[in-house]
């Protein structure tokens, strides 16, 4: 899906009055809204946002005040969940509060008109999601298919630093979304419109009030798609960043280039100044590190030292507001505090290391045309050793230093250096998701299949599976060692090399189960434990890129010894399937050794590329369809 971004500047230097907004349409619906049965541009939609309008201004203390009015129509039974509303807000340090929540359910009356059922204030609850985020939650009464929920609320933030973005698009279709922003006096804001080419946007400068108005209409819903890098990357939205504040003769300007941003970060007390601190109690440790024989060993030792001594408080940050010395004393901190501490100690160990601003996959893409620091969500350490770069995140307890954390693969990062910053694309061409599956099985006369299975997971496969195994062993075994649609499953699974990063994660066990049958025919599946159990690419259309994260290589070698009373009735043909660019290859070869009455299957999946643009989806969809068609083909056995 092609995206369009446009950067513009809005400013107001003399305006001194704030505005408020009265949503006069609240509680008043049209006949069209009452009679609406389906969304014209998405007939499968379960619910639709009829309108979301908001107005941002300020009070005498220059708080950012935003009033919202939202109206949603329930179209189908599955859409009733839209009447359960959750409003997130930033609760840390009382930065934001939400108040004046009002709502009602509107239902049509058969004889004409409509009935309003107010939202009971006692059904409005406040929840603490975590240290930073709170939620206001409420459920509307008298909900049924055809109901309209109508509500409004106000958000107050301590300052305009909370102004981030206005999102027009939701998971369900939106008929109208409009936003008015009144600019703070003596301030300049840059804003960037992120939209697809085929959805128009209205942008109006409000000269009389010192603001700007945005509107979009008929916006399709966007839900999570398989292997999406970050849903927020594809949302229709407008992004804001403060670019200057102050009077025309005494103005503080913010970064307008990557080099200016690099300079500001180096001078910032909560960033650059943290990189030359003496950390109490680490002097003897650093002396021991300096005498280690190699730079790689020094890096690994410092990395593990910080990981083992610091606990992450689950907060993402680019900075150390309270200082890394304080974080070290408490032995806990944000991602910024922990990784700036790591960088400090790596420098003490005389390694070439740079702070690296990152936007992890879940956070969204970095647009290199716009030097907005808010595009990044955290900071990592980048270490250069013998012309190789290592990317380290000390909040990550499982990824070894020689493997790039999967969350930043295929992303753009910024190295903060002394003079000029460097934008880099983070990739790893040497390490992939590698798995080898070995099965030595035997079929009994009663149709029972049994034998030994060994799965060797290396590199990214090791990381993924180790974390999942540690989190929930029962779920891990069910997901990876049961064959869907059959009674075949591996029992007594053991896992070796759980803590040895230099070796594969070896999972072994005993397979047992009965083959599916029809009359005298039995069906031996060949797709065992490859992870290709369900095709994720069935949708006709795709809005987002396909980001697998890493390259993948999966090999299966299976041998099945048949009893004397069985013969092969139908054997799947040899296959070599590839796409035009030859970066996806599927191979299969199935042999029948008649002298030993043994079936041997060798199968391999190779994905040499990890990121595909959305316009390549049709190719991906067709390749997966053909691969899964082959994977469904069993060896057909016949009882003699």
């Amino acid at each position: 899906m092609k995206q369009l971004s446009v950067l513009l500047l809005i400013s107001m230097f003399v305006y001194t009055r704030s505005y408020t907004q009265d949503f006069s349409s609240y509680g008043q619906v049209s006949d069209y809204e009452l009679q609406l049965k389906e969304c014209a541009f998405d007939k499968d939609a379960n619910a639709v946002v009829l309108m979301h309008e908001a107005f941002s201004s300020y009070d005498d203390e220059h708080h950012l005040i935003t009033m919202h009015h939202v109206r949603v129509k329930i179209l189908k039974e599955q859409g009733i969940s839209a009447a359960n509303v959750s409003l997130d807000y930033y609760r840390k340090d009382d930065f934001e509060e939400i108040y004046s929540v009002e709502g009602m359910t509107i239902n049509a009356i058969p004889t004409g008109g409509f009935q309003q059922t107010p939202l009971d204030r006692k059904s409005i609850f406040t929840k603490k999601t975590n240290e930073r985020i709170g939620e206001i939650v409420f459920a509307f009464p008298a909900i049924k298919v055809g109901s309209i929920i109508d509500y409004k609320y106000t958000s107050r933030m301590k300052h305009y630093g909370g102004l981030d973005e206005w999102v027009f698009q939701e998971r369900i279709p939106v008929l109208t979304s409009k936003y008015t922003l009144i600019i703070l006096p003596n301030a300049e804001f840059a804003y960037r419109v992120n939209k697809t080419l085929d959805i128009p946007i209205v942008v109006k400068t409000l000269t009389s009030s010192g603001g700007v108005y945005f509107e979009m209409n008929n916006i399709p819903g966007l839900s999570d798609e398989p292997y999406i890098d970050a849903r927020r990357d594809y949302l229709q939205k407008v992004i804001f960043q403060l670019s200057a504040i102050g009077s025309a003769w005494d103005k503080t300007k913010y970064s307008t280039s990557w080099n200016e941003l690099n300079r500001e970060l180096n001078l910032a007390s909560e960033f650059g100044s943290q990189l030359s601190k003496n950390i109490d109690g680490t002097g003897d440790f650093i002396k021991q590190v300096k005498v280690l024989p190699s730079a790689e060993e020094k890096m690994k030792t410092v990395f593990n030292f910080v990981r083992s001594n610091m606990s992450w408080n689950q907060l993402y940050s680019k900075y150390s507001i309270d200082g890394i010395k304080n974080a070290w004393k408490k032995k806990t901190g944000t991602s910024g505090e922990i990784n700036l501490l790591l960088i400090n100690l790596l420098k003490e160990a005389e390694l070439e290391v740079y702070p690296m601003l990152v936007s992890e996959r879940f956070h969204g893409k970095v647009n290199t045309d716009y030097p907005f620091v808010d595009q990044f969500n955290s900071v990592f350490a980048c270490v250069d050793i013998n012309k190789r770069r290592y990317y380290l995140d000390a909040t990550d307890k499982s990824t070894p230093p020689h493997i790039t954390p999967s969350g930043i693969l295929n992303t753009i990062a910024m190295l903060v250096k002394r003079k000029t910053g460097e934008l880099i694309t983070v990739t790893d061409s040497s390490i992939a998701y590698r798995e080898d599956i070995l099965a030595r099985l035997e079929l009994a006369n009663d149709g029972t299949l049994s034998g030994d299975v060994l799965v060797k997971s290396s590199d990214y496969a090791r990381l993924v599976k180790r974390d999942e195994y540690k989190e929930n062993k029962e779920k891990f075994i069910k997901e990876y060692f049961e064959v869907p649609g059959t009674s075949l499953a591996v029992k007594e699974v053991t896992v070796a090399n759980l803590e040895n990063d230099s070796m594969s994660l070896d999972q072994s066990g005993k397979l047992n189960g009965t083959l599916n049958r029809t009359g005298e025919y039995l069906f031996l599946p060949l797709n065992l434990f490859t992870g290709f159990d369900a095709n994720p690419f069935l949708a006709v259309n795709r809005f987002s890129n396909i980001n697998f994260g890493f390259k993948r290589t999966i090999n299966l070698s299976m041998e099945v010894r048949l009893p004397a009373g069985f013969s092969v009735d139908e054997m799947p043909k040899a296959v070599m399937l590839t796409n035009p660019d030859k970066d996806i290859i599927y191979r299969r070869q199935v042999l029948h050794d008649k002298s030993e009455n043994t079936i041997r299957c060798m199968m391999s999946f190779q994905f040499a590329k990890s990121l595909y643009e959305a316009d390549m989806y049709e190719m991906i969809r067709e390749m997966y369809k053909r691969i899964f068609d082959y994977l469904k083909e069993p060896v057909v056995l016949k009882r003699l």
Side-chain angles (χ1 to χ4, degrees):
M1 183 177 68
K2 299 298 183 183
Q3 298 287 120
L4 172 67
S5 292
V6 179
L7 182 70
L8 296 165
L9 190 69
I10 46 179
S11 62
M12 186 61 194
F13 294 105
V14 297
Y15 185 70
T16 58
R17 289 189 300 122
S18 62
Y19 276 73
T20 60
Q21 176 75 22
D22 177 24
F23 296 123
S24 58
S25 63
Y26 172 68
Q28 302 300 313
V29 296
S30 66
D31 289 339
Y32 169 78
E33 292 171 319
L34 287 172
Q35 295 168 11
L36 185 67
K37 302 295 184 184
E38 64 180 18
C39 176
F41 53 90
D42 184 357
K43 297 186 185 300
D44 294 328
N46 299 320
V48 60
V49 177
L50 299 172
M51 176 176 58
H52 187 176
E53 55 182 337
F55 182 92
S56 289
S57 185
Y58 56 90
D59 58 16
D60 292 340
E61 295 177 314
H62 287 182
H63 295 134
L64 174 62
I65 311 294
T66 303
M67 292 169 283
H68 294 258
H69 175 208
V70 182
R71 181 174 294 164
V72 178
K73 177 72 180 275
I74 310 297
L75 300 175
K76 299 179 182 178
E77 194 75 27
Q78 300 93 321
I80 286 179
S81 59
N84 300 319
V85 177
S86 174
L87 307 174
D88 292 344
Y89 67 99
Y90 196 90
R91 57 179 291 270
K92 185 176 173 61
D93 300 325
D94 296 322
F95 180 78
E96 182 183 9
E97 65 172 325
I98 288 179
Y99 58 96
S100 297
V101 178
E102 295 182 44
M104 66 178 70
T105 302
I106 301 174
N107 286 309
I109 300 173
T111 56
F114 55 85
Q115 181 180 19
Q116 300 173 336
T117 305
L119 177 67
D120 188 346
R121 290 189 175 276
K122 294 180 181 178
S123 66
I124 303 174
F125 301 96
T126 301
K127 295 169 58 179
K128 296 179 181 179
T129 305
N130 55 43
E131 182 179 333
R132 297 174 300 133
I133 304 299
E135 290 179 84
I136 304 295
V137 296
F138 47 92
F140 283 84
I143 292 295
K144 59 185 179 181
V145 174
S147 294
I148 294 173
I149 63 170
D150 203 22
Y151 62 97
K152 60 181 181 178
Y153 63 95
T154 301
S155 158
R156 175 167 55 222
M157 296 182 177
K158 283 187 175 180
H159 51 72
Y160 266 58
L163 181 61
D164 182 14
E165 60 188 27
W166 174 258
V167 178
F168 300 96
Q169 194 168 30
E170 304 287 347
R171 294 185 182 276
I172 58 176
V174 177
L175 297 190
T176 297
S177 178
K178 48 190 178 182
Y179 178 59
T180 302
L181 171 65
I182 304 300
I183 309 303
L184 192 69
N186 300 325
E188 290 182 1
F189 278 88
Y191 70 86
R192 174 164 58 92
V193 175
N194 190 72
K195 62 178 288 296
T196 55
L197 297 173
D198 57 344
I199 304 180
I201 185 171
V202 175
V203 181
K204 295 180 181 179
T205 301
L206 307 176
T207 306
S208 61
S209 59
V212 62
Y213 170 83
F214 305 90
E215 181 179 332
M216 292 185 78
N217 297 284
N218 299 331
I219 312 156
L222 178 61
S223 58
D224 291 330
E225 296 177 312
Y227 296 102
I228 190 172
D229 31 22
R231 178 177 172 271
R232 61 181 291 173
D233 289 336
Y234 305 95
L235 292 172
Q236 316 301 299
K237 60 185 176 181
V238 55
I239 305 161
F240 301 94
Q241 178 161 308
L242 182 66
S243 58
I245 193 165
S247 63
W249 53 88
D250 183 22
K251 179 171 28 173
T252 300
K253 292 189 71 68
Y254 295 86
S255 57
T256 56
S257 72
W258 291 111
N259 284 336
E260 284 185 22
L261 177 58
N262 186 81
R263 180 181 60 82
E264 289 174 11
L265 288 168
N266 277 316
L267 294 174
S269 61
E270 67 273 18
F271 193 92
S273 297
Q274 298 299 314
L275 304 179
S276 57
K277 301 289 184 182
N278 293 318
I279 307 302
D280 297 338
T282 62
D284 290 340
F285 168 73
I286 292 298
K287 288 180 182 178
Q288 295 170 12
V289 171
K290 286 182 177 180
V291 299
L292 291 173
S294 69
E296 288 86 355
E297 193 65 27
K298 292 176 183 179
M299 174 186 68
K300 183 177 180 179
T301 302
V302 173
F303 183 48
N304 287 333
F305 176 76
V306 175
R307 288 204 295 187
S308 61
N309 281 280
M310 294 296 294
S311 296
W312 182 36
N313 61 13
Q314 305 300 311
L315 300 181
Y316 293 94
S317 174
K318 302 176 284 289
Y319 311 108
S320 179
I321 304 301
D322 297 327
I324 61 173
K325 282 189 169 185
N326 190 45
W328 175 249
K329 183 178 180 180
K330 295 186 298 181
K331 295 295 185 289
T332 186
T334 66
S335 63
E337 289 167 336
I338 292 173
N339 285 327
L340 289 173
L341 171 67
L342 170 65
I343 294 164
N344 191 298
L345 293 178
L346 289 168
K347 287 181 65 178
E348 286 288 309
E350 299 176 350
L351 293 169
E352 185 180 352
V353 58
Y354 305 100
M356 182 173 80
L357 295 181
V358 301
S359 178
E360 295 173 86
R361 262 176 67 178
F362 74 86
H363 185 256
K365 296 178 185 175
V366 171
N367 190 318
T368 58
D369 292 335
Y370 310 113
F372 289 2
V373 72
D374 288 344
Q375 293 187 91
F376 305 98
N377 73 301
S378 191
V379 60
F380 283 17
C382 175
V383 185
D384 281 353
I385 300 176
N386 297 328
K387 297 183 179 180
R388 178 179 174 182
R389 278 181 168 163
Y390 299 85
Y391 308 109
L392 308 181
D393 173 20
T395 71
D396 181 347
K397 302 293 187 182
S398 61
T399 304
H402 68 281
I403 294 182
T404 301
S406 61
I408 61 168
L409 285 172
N410 299 321
T411 69
I412 292 173
M414 176 185 177
L415 298 186
V416 180
K417 297 186 174 182
R418 288 191 61 187
K419 293 184 178 180
T420 60
E422 180 184 353
L423 292 173
I424 63 172
T425 299
V426 181
T427 59
D428 194 330
S429 59
S430 62
I431 296 177
Y433 182 105
R434 293 189 173 92
E435 202 148 63
D436 292 291
I437 304 139
L438 306 171
R440 297 295 176 261
L441 310 174
E442 186 168 351
L443 183 66
N445 283 315
D446 63 357
T448 299
L449 188 67
S450 61
D452 297 321
V453 174
L454 172 64
V455 179
K456 300 175 73 67
S457 304
S458 304
D459 298 338
Y460 285 111
R462 171 190 167 80
L463 289 178
V464 170
K465 287 198 163 182
R466 191 187 79 157
D467 288 349
E468 292 183 7
Y469 179 77
K470 283 188 168 184
E471 183 177 346
N472 190 322
K473 294 180 183 179
E474 291 75 18
K475 182 180 178 182
F476 174 87
I477 292 171
K478 182 177 179 63
E479 179 176 350
Y480 288 109
F481 290 99
E482 293 183 2
V483 182
T486 76
S487 66
L488 300 176
V490 176
K491 307 295 184 183
E492 304 172 20
V493 176
T494 61
V495 177
N497 307 325
L498 199 61
E499 302 301 333
N500 192 332
D501 290 333
S502 62
M503 300 184 70
S504 63
L505 187 74
D506 292 353
Q507 309 126 71
S508 58
K510 299 288 186 179
L511 181 137
N512 194 272
T514 303
L515 295 185
N516 294 339
R517 62 186 300 167
T518 300
E520 71 266 33
Y521 296 98
L522 281 75
F523 305 95
L524 173 66
L526 300 177
N527 180 27
L528 298 183
F529 318 120
T530 63
F532 283 77
D533 297 328
N535 187 348
F537 302 120
L538 296 176
V540 175
N541 298 308
R542 173 98 181 188
F543 291 94
S544 63
N545 294 342
I546 301 103
N547 192 341
F548 293 114
F550 28 68
K551 297 182 296 182
R552 291 175 293 165
T553 298
I554 300 169
N555 298 308
L556 168 67
S557 175
M558 181 171 65
E559 179 181 288
V560 181
R561 186 176 295 276
L562 305 179
F566 285 86
S567 66
V568 174
D569 186 76
E570 187 175 333
M571 180 81 72
K573 295 178 181 179
V575 173
M576 206 291 277
L577 175 67
T578 186
N579 64 324
D581 291 336
K582 294 182 170 52
D583 49 52
I584 300 175
I585 301 174
Y586 170 72
R587 291 186 177 93
R588 181 188 69 190
Q589 186 176 26
V590 189
L591 302 172
H592 179 207
D593 185 336
K594 294 182 181 180
S595 63
E596 297 184 2
N597 206 16
T598 298
I599 302 293
R600 291 186 177 90
C601 174
M602 288 162 287
M603 190 184 299
S604 68
F605 307 80
Q606 291 179 296
F607 292 78
K609 187 176 175 182
S610 59
L611 179 65
Y612 295 87
E613 298 292 327
D615 56 11
M616 297 294 289
Y617 176 63
E618 185 55 39
M619 181 276 294
I620 293 287
R621 180 170 176 262
E622 178 61 24
M623 281 295 296
Y624 264 72
K625 179 183 181 302
R626 295 178 67 186
I627 289 172
F628 273 86
D629 284 343
Y630 286 128
L631 292 176
K632 293 173 185 176
E633 295 179 351
V635 174
V636 181
L637 305 174
K638 184 177 181 181
R639 190 187 299 273
L640 298 177

